[in-house]
Amino acid sequence: MKGEMIMNKIMHYCVCILSVVALASCASMPIAPIEDRSMQKVHDIDLTKNEIYDISLEWMARTFFDNKEVIEIKDKENGKIIGKGITTFKGKIGWFSANIPCRFTLIVEAKDNKYRTTYNNLVGLHGENQTRPEPLEQKDYVDAVMAKLAVIDEGLYSYLKKSKSNTGW
């Protein structure tokens, strides 16, 4: 009985020490400057504003799982679409790494022969059930997400270019 109490105390202290070490390792990660937590790109393309708008809307419907929940604003007159997307990044949970979901906002603004994309509002979904949203601030995590967003952005550009060449199917 006494040996069992001692083992419980030792386990309790070990858990406390591991928790402090895990929290300290997260707290020491460098924070990304606010201007690095968003990405904006302007692309030139031989399409009208309406073509860019329509094809971008189609791309969002094909790229993201549920476009009815993803697309928040559709303003064809002004050539603007605002939607939500999700990607993942490798994050640390204590000494382990895991894929952590990250929500983001995507804005597509179309004009004749060019469009602008903006990616911002990065929110990591932490916790056992990924239900604890926290703004993404750690530099390593922001950099990882930005690399994935650059690939997503290139996907939209490629889709727009391909659509232009497939107009005579």
Side-chain angles (χ1 to χ4, degrees):
M1 184 79 156
K2 195 172 191 177
E4 196 174 305
M5 278 181 41
I6 291 172
M7 283 303 290
N8 282 341
K9 281 190 174 199
I10 290 172
M11 289 297 289
H12 177 75
Y13 288 127
C14 287
V15 168
C16 289
I17 289 170
L18 288 174
S19 297
V20 168
V21 168
L23 288 173
S25 68
C26 289
S28 65
M29 291 182 79
I31 301 296
I34 193 80
E35 60 272 8
D36 291 350
R37 294 184 221 162
S38 66
M39 176 174 63
Q40 191 170 75
K41 293 190 175 195
V42 176
H43 300 275
D44 293 320
I45 194 158
D46 186 25
L47 294 168
T48 67
K49 177 177 96 170
N50 286 338
E51 288 173 322
I52 294 168
Y53 177 88
D54 291 338
I55 297 167
S56 295
L57 204 55
E58 179 182 316
W59 173 82
M60 288 177 94
R62 290 175 177 262
T63 301
F64 300 110
F65 291 110
D66 185 356
N67 72 318
K68 289 178 178 68
E69 290 188 23
V70 168
I71 298 169
E72 295 184 335
I73 294 176
K74 295 188 289 187
D75 181 356
K76 188 164 187 167
E77 184 178 320
N78 291 309
K80 189 175 201 175
I81 306 166
I82 300 176
K84 298 282 186 191
I86 195 160
T87 188
T88 60
F89 64 93
K90 279 265 194 233
K92 290 203 176 210
I93 302 171
W95 288 320
F96 302 100
S97 61
N99 284 324
I100 298 174
C102 179
R103 289 192 313 232
F104 61 89
T105 300
L106 165 59
I107 304 167
V108 178
E109 298 167 283
K111 292 184 176 184
D112 286 340
N113 300 313
K114 67 179 170 180
Y115 70 98
R116 176 171 66 186
T117 53
T118 304
Y119 301 84
N120 58 20
N121 299 328
L122 307 180
V123 177
L125 301 174
H126 299 275
E128 187 175 329
N129 296 319
Q130 302 167 335
T131 56
R132 197 178 78 236
E134 293 179 16
L136 203 61
E137 297 176 336
Q138 296 86 353
K139 182 171 177 11
D140 290 349
Y141 298 164
V142 169
D143 290 348
V145 169
M146 287 300 163
K148 287 193 170 190
L149 294 179
V151 172
I152 290 171
D153 193 69
E154 184 57 38
L156 172 57
Y157 182 71
S158 295
Y159 194 84
L160 286 163
K161 286 190 75 116
K162 180 181 168 194
S163 291
K164 179 65 177 174
S165 64
N166 285 344
T167 54
W169 60 271

